Amino acid sequence: MYSSLFLAASFIAGPVLAKQCVNITVPVDISARNGVFNVPTLETNFDATTFAQNFTSIKGNFSQESLLGYTTVTGTYDISAMFCMPDNATGTMPVVQFLTHGIGFDKTYWDLAYNNYNYSYTDVAVDQYGFCTLAIDRLGIGNSSIADPLAVIQAPAELSAIYEVTMMLRAGTLPNVPHAFDKVVHVGHSFGSELSYELAAMYPNVTDGVVLTGFSANGSYVPQFVAALDLKLARLNQPLRFGNVSYAAVTQGLSMLGSLPSNMSAVTQELAALDVTMSELLSVLESTDLADFAAGLEPTDLPHMQDLPTGYLTWTDIGNNQFNFLYPPYFDMNLALFAEQTKFPVTLGELLSIEGMPMMAPDFTGPVLVITGDEDAIYCGGDCMVTGNPALASIPADVAAAFPMASAFEAYIQPNTGHAINVHYNSTAAYMVIQNFLDTHGLAPS
């Protein structure tokens, strides 16, 4: 029963939130068939650019060309997660949604702290519909274990971790969550959707339903995505968060930048002559990688000074973020700035293994929902309705072919939305589409 879920540990509950949540750390033993890639160690941002050039070149498939073979990767790693449940849970058949974030985010993608949690997916799923949720930091990201970004942090290893945590949910052995769930739904975003898709393909009896957000079966725009990132070493782009420099070093560096002009009064006069206000100047600075360089100066609960290896990469600034993830003008620019300051990296291994997903999930018999923004740049090239096939309603609708035995399939196109659905004004409407789909197809908690 739900009553067994009232944990001995302290719950995290905001003053206006009904849900009760607890942060947990889950040790998992993984075993994965990872690729062995012949890619040199990245040492500078120029090396990151060279990698992007090779990855996106039409001369060949760089992932396949650099693949030397496969090896089995094993080990024990920690997965950081947040488990949430309704505060008035009284039913006997709880359903848990397993939430897996995509590239550029961590588990807080599902519970964005911005604007009093008005964009929180978890609030809608838990408070309004009575689901439990488990949002994880994928292996190698956020507060989960950091590991070799080329050899270990690949899709197969991350999938292995998801499988192990799922089995703990079902067995009732997840730390501080003393309940065995009969119903587990996997909800992903972007790369997290690819992993959820792979889980249903490889382990069809492990999940009861699949929701793939920010997703389609069309991978032809991935090179555009990587090119538009303008890749940089994460530890150099946001050194306070991903490097190992001190606050003093960053603030000293910023002060040195400010003192470069020998006569600041002359600079002020020049700005006045150009009719540039201080507000406009700050706006310019926010839109450059200088703002990323200063990320982490403000106190947050996010990991700091992680000293990430150079195979952890990120995009340059908020402009790259907007191009790939957002559709103007249908988002709050302050939320976009928040997302940029709190972004998370991608690994070489993830990029190189991103196309290794199974082509079919022939044995999965549960319901499948694909929900993608109509202007998704990564999976639709900016227009999900341009299919080139009159018989295909949308690009995401083609995913149906991969789930021939699904009990139900729907491809829903969210209007006025880019790739990162949760960061757009109408995100909560998409959240309700998901909950109603699960309710309709026998996966509502009771």
Side-chain angles (χ1 to χ4, degrees):
M1 296 196 322
Y2 269 101
S3 58
S4 67
L5 292 174
F6 287 96
L7 313 182
S10 298
F11 281 107
I12 302 167
V16 298
L17 300 181
K19 67 179 184 293
Q20 298 186 59
C21 301
V22 59
N23 282 314
I24 59 177
T25 299
V26 186
V28 296
D29 295 320
I30 70 164
S31 179
R33 183 175 180 263
N34 275 13
V36 179
F37 295 99
N38 182 24
V39 176
T41 301
L42 307 186
E43 297 181 354
T44 69
N45 283 332
F46 298 108
D47 294 336
T49 301
T50 299
F51 170 80
Q53 288 176 292
N54 291 331
F55 187 89
T56 59
S57 174
I58 64 172
K59 294 178 181 178
N61 186 311
F62 183 68
S63 296
Q64 293 180 6
E65 292 171 355
S66 58
L67 180 65
L68 299 178
Y70 295 92
T71 187
T72 300
V73 172
T74 61
T76 302
Y77 297 92
D78 287 338
I79 297 298
S80 176
M82 176 177 280
F83 176 81
C84 295
M85 59 172 282
D87 64 352
N88 60 346
T90 58
T92 59
M93 290 296 291
V95 178
V96 61
Q97 296 187 24
F98 191 122
L99 310 177
T100 306
H101 63 88
I103 287 171
F105 297 95
D106 72 338
K107 62 180 176 289
T108 62
Y109 174 78
W110 305 103
D111 195 31
L112 291 170
Y114 179 79
N115 195 17
N116 197 29
Y117 293 87
N118 281 347
Y119 291 80
S120 173
Y121 176 90
T122 307
D123 278 4
V124 173
V126 176
D127 294 345
Q128 297 183 32
Y129 288 83
F131 287 95
C132 296
T133 61
L134 182 77
I136 66 163
D137 285 345
R138 297 193 328 269
L139 177 63
I141 303 299
N143 284 309
S144 290
S145 293
I146 303 303
D148 188 303
L150 178 61
V152 176
I153 307 303
Q154 299 181 19
E158 295 183 43
L159 178 61
S160 178
I162 290 171
Y163 170 83
E164 294 297 334
V165 175
T166 301
M167 296 307 291
M168 292 181 193
L169 276 171
R170 290 195 173 278
T173 57
L174 197 70
N176 293 323
V177 183
H179 184 86
F181 286 89
D182 292 329
K183 299 291 184 182
V184 182
V185 177
H186 287 82
V187 183
H189 172 249
S190 190
F191 189 60
S193 289
E194 296 209 19
L195 293 170
S196 300
Y197 171 90
E198 291 180 19
L199 184 77
M202 296 179 64
Y203 309 103
N205 297 321
V206 165
T207 181
D208 295 287
V210 175
V211 178
L212 310 174
T213 76
F215 184 75
S216 80
N218 188 336
S220 61
Y221 302 104
V222 170
Q224 172 185 282
F225 161 64
V226 173
L229 290 175
D230 188 16
L231 288 170
K232 299 291 186 289
L233 304 187
R235 61 182 295 113
L236 297 182
N237 181 255
Q238 291 196 0
L240 269 177
R241 296 183 61 217
F242 305 134
N244 63 348
V245 300
S246 65
Y247 287 92
V250 171
T251 53
Q252 182 181 10
L254 291 172
S255 66
M256 290 176 64
L257 287 173
S259 63
L260 285 177
S262 57
N263 189 336
M264 291 305 295
S265 63
V267 174
T268 304
Q269 292 174 8
E270 290 293 333
L271 290 175
L274 293 171
D275 195 25
V276 175
T277 67
M278 187 58 66
S279 176
E280 289 171 329
L281 178 61
L282 290 175
S283 177
V284 170
L285 294 176
E286 285 177 336
S287 65
T288 68
D289 55 352
L290 182 59
D292 283 271
F293 182 76
L297 286 174
E298 296 294 328
T300 70
D301 293 330
L302 297 174
H304 276 67
M305 289 182 280
Q306 289 187 294
D307 197 15
L308 297 179
T310 57
Y312 277 84
L313 307 171
T314 189
W315 56 83
T316 300
D317 58 37
I318 193 171
N320 311 106
N321 194 330
Q322 175 180 316
F323 185 94
N324 280 310
F325 295 95
L326 304 171
Y327 177 48
Y330 299 102
F331 62 89
D332 182 338
M333 180 54 72
N334 287 324
L335 175 54
L337 291 167
F338 173 84
E340 178 65 20
Q341 294 295 294
T342 58
K343 67 185 179 183
F344 281 85
V346 60
T347 72
L348 285 173
E350 288 174 326
L351 292 173
L352 290 166
S353 62
I354 203 169
E355 62 178 31
M357 57 189 289
M359 298 302 294
M360 296 284 289
D363 299 321
F364 179 70
T365 58
V368 178
L369 171 65
V370 180
I371 179 166
T372 302
D374 60 343
E375 299 288 335
D376 191 305
I378 299 175
Y379 282 98
C380 292
D383 190 342
C384 283
M385 307 309 293
V386 178
T387 66
N389 179 0
L392 193 62
S394 67
I395 293 175
D398 198 33
V399 176
F403 291 93
M405 300 302 293
S407 60
F409 179 87
E410 180 180 352
Y412 180 85
I413 306 303
Q414 177 71 5
N416 300 325
T417 302
H419 182 63
I421 294 174
N422 296 19
V423 190
H424 287 77
Y425 284 132
N426 60 350
S427 58
T428 53
Y431 304 164
M432 292 179 182
V433 169
I434 296 171
Q435 315 314 314
N436 290 331
F437 176 86
L438 296 176
D439 282 1
T440 300
H441 296 289
L443 290 172
S446 61

